[in-house]
Amino acid sequence: MDNASAVSRRSRATRQGGLVRDALAADDKFRSAQVVFGQLRSKGEAIGLSTVYRHLQALADSGDADTLQNAEGEALYRLCGSGEHHHHHLVCRQCGRTQEIEGRGVERWASEMAEEYGFTDVNHTIELVGLCNNCSG
Amino acid sequence: MDNASAVSRRSRATRQGGLVRDALAADDKFRSAQVVFGQLRSKGEAIGLSTVYRHLQALADSGDADTLQNAEGEALYRLCGSGEHHHHHLVCRQCGRTQEIEGRGVERWASEMAEEYGFTDVNHTIELVGLCNNCSG
DNA sequence: GGCTATACTGGTAACGATTATCAGCAAGCC
DNA sequence: GGCTTGCTGATAATCGTTACCAGTATAGCC
């Protein structure tokens, strides 16, 4: 109803920006820029590919969207409720359903490993990909 | 001395295959296909880009090489001593130095998460990227 | 050592995702 | 209504990777 909720403070509120955000908001699945573009176009929306990429990146930069890369190296996006809060994902490789998961233990393990081998400023990428209970039949 | 150690059983032993393997064997860092190609060419070796890609993939497929993707989605390769044995990496984002690490705990955590949310056949990608003690100065 | 079948090679074109360009358009402000 | 300037989007350009396919070299056989 009101995707104007988080309107401009430093940037303009545009129709296209709303379209991209709405497309992601439709469900909690990860999708690629190309898919978002295709969905919007097939709904008859007038929007350019460049614009879709721009808004997706903006969302990712601002922390409003999560990002991950599929096996082909394609970037996938999803709206992220938890803001800055650090978390990981359990993604269904079939239907794309996504479960946010937490890993205190993993965070700890990563720090321990970093320390053990003298590494600093360590980032970790951790994604779990499998089949959800709907798709594993 | 003898990169002919693991010779053909179903495939031919070619000069180019040896070159690619040797390039990886030079050290334990991850490198991209483009880099391997560049290194070989600048050493004056005659080899084609396609061939480099082919051999790197073959090595990865046979389990003789580890693979990971950098932030730009480029594929990186490294010879892998541990064969089939499952492990992860702690990679220096500056010099590329790589430390193989084990994560019994992480494996367990991944299984637990999978089970908790009803996911099956779950793969995980876990990479830690930071600065090694040489580069963090 | 020479011969042959065929796997391997590599230059080049094609591909797919992403980014850069830049003239035209429109949101926000007076 | 008019202006400024950020936003848009068609198109070209990038970049890593893969497909093609005619030419070449290897393994095996004589």
Side-chain angles (χ1 to χ4, degrees):
Chain A
M1 300 296 141
D2 58 29
N3 58 53
S5 49
V7 204
S8 63
R9 197 165 309 272
R10 63 205 68 188
S11 57
R12 292 180 182 170
T14 63
R15 182 180 56 86
Q16 292 87 340
L19 288 176
V20 171
R21 174 175 277 270
D22 288 349
L24 287 189
D27 60 47
D28 65 349
K29 295 178 181 173
F30 277 91
R31 45 175 133 291
S32 69
Q34 301 282 349
V35 166
V36 170
F37 176 67
Q39 287 179 337
L40 289 174
R41 273 299 181 87
S42 64
K43 286 203 319 187
E45 301 289 358
I47 190 170
L49 180 58
S50 319
T51 304
V52 171
Y53 273 101
R54 253 190 306 259
H55 282 288
L56 286 175
Q57 279 184 342
L59 288 169
D61 287 347
S62 70
D64 288 336
D66 285 329
T67 304
L68 64 81
Q69 248 172 76
N70 68 10
E72 287 79 45
E74 206 175 352
L76 306 181
Y77 302 85
R78 194 188 82 123
L79 274 197
C80 170
S82 16
E84 284 297 294
H85 174 253
H86 180 72
H87 59 271
H88 300 290
H89 300 103
L90 180 51
V91 185
C92 177
R93 74 165 61 89
Q94 191 118 104
C95 71
R97 188 156 78 83
T98 302
Q99 176 69 50
E100 289 195 3
I101 55 183
E102 251 190 84
R104 270 163 298 242
V106 178
E107 314 297 331
R108 186 161 4 94
W109 170 78
S111 316
E112 285 170 4
M113 286 295 135
E115 189 170 357
E116 177 170 348
Y117 294 105
F119 278 62
T120 54
D121 190 22
V122 173
N123 280 91
H124 54 266
T125 59
I126 301 180
E127 302 298 341
L128 308 186
V129 185
L131 287 174
C132 74
N133 44 19
N134 284 329
C135 298
S136 62
Chain B
M1 303 293 144
D2 58 24
N3 59 50
S5 49
V7 204
S8 64
R9 195 164 309 271
R10 62 205 68 189
S11 57
R12 291 178 182 174
T14 63
R15 183 179 56 85
Q16 292 88 339
L19 287 176
V20 171
R21 175 175 277 269
D22 287 349
L24 287 188
D27 61 45
D28 65 349
K29 296 177 180 172
F30 277 91
R31 40 172 133 315
S32 68
Q34 302 283 348
V35 166
V36 170
F37 176 67
Q39 288 179 337
L40 289 174
R41 273 300 179 86
S42 63
K43 286 202 319 186
E45 300 289 359
I47 191 171
L49 180 57
S50 318
T51 305
V52 172
Y53 273 102
R54 252 190 307 257
H55 281 289
L56 287 175
Q57 280 185 340
L59 288 169
D61 287 348
S62 70
D64 289 335
D66 284 329
T67 304
L68 64 83
Q69 248 172 76
N70 68 10
E72 286 80 44
E74 206 175 352
L76 306 181
Y77 301 87
R78 194 188 83 121
L79 273 197
C80 169
S82 13
E84 284 297 294
H85 173 253
H86 181 72
H87 59 271
H88 300 290
H89 300 102
L90 180 52
V91 186
C92 176
R93 73 165 60 89
Q94 191 119 103
C95 72
R97 187 155 79 83
T98 302
Q99 176 69 52
E100 288 194 3
I101 55 184
E102 250 189 85
R104 272 162 297 238
V106 178
E107 313 297 331
R108 185 159 7 94
W109 170 78
S111 316
E112 285 170 4
M113 286 295 135
E115 190 170 356
E116 178 170 348
Y117 294 105
F119 277 62
T120 53
D121 190 22
V122 172
N123 279 92
H124 55 266
T125 59
I126 301 180
E127 302 298 340
L128 309 185
V129 184
L131 288 172
C132 74
N133 44 18
N134 285 328
C135 296
S136 62

